[in-house]
Amino acid sequence: MKETIQRDAFKFSVGRAIFCSIPECGVILDWKRAAEFSACKGDKYVSIKVFCADCADRVRPSIESKLSDLGLRLEVIDGRKL
């Protein structure tokens, strides 16, 4: 049940974003090939971005590094794994 709710919320998030968050990319998102990055501070979400799978793989290390420097953690939902 939890997985179904998480998948449906992820589909909604991807559908709402429409395009990859990297402006130079501009790929139209498909939930099966997208990833949602959520920056969290404690139990609160500070920022949520959606990327295509290729961009997500490329930018994840730098985003994790920058967020940890700011005292935030990264939560990732990857459509390829749902």
Side-chain angles (χ1 to χ4, degrees):
M1 182 69 164
K2 181 181 177 183
E3 292 84 15
T4 303
I5 293 170
Q6 183 180 34
R7 185 180 65 239
D8 289 345
F10 175 69
K11 285 181 181 180
F12 175 78
S13 180
V14 170
R16 200 165 163 217
I18 301 174
F19 298 104
C20 179
S21 290
I22 304 291
E24 297 83 24
C25 178
V27 167
I28 297 173
L29 296 170
D30 170 23
W31 75 270
K32 292 180 183 178
R33 293 185 20 88
E36 180 184 81
F37 287 15
S38 303
C40 305
K41 186 170 190 168
D43 291 341
K44 297 184 180 188
Y45 292 101
V46 177
S47 176
I48 299 173
K49 298 284 184 183
V50 181
F51 300 94
C52 69
D54 294 335
C55 289
D57 292 339
R58 190 174 64 249
V59 301
R60 183 175 182 164
S62 65
I63 290 176
E64 283 179 323
S65 158
K66 289 177 184 176
L67 289 178
S68 66
D69 291 347
L70 296 170
L72 302 172
R73 66 185 165 78
L74 179 66
E75 286 185 5
V76 177
I77 300 173
D78 193 332
R80 298 171 290 185
K81 297 178 182 174
L82 290 179

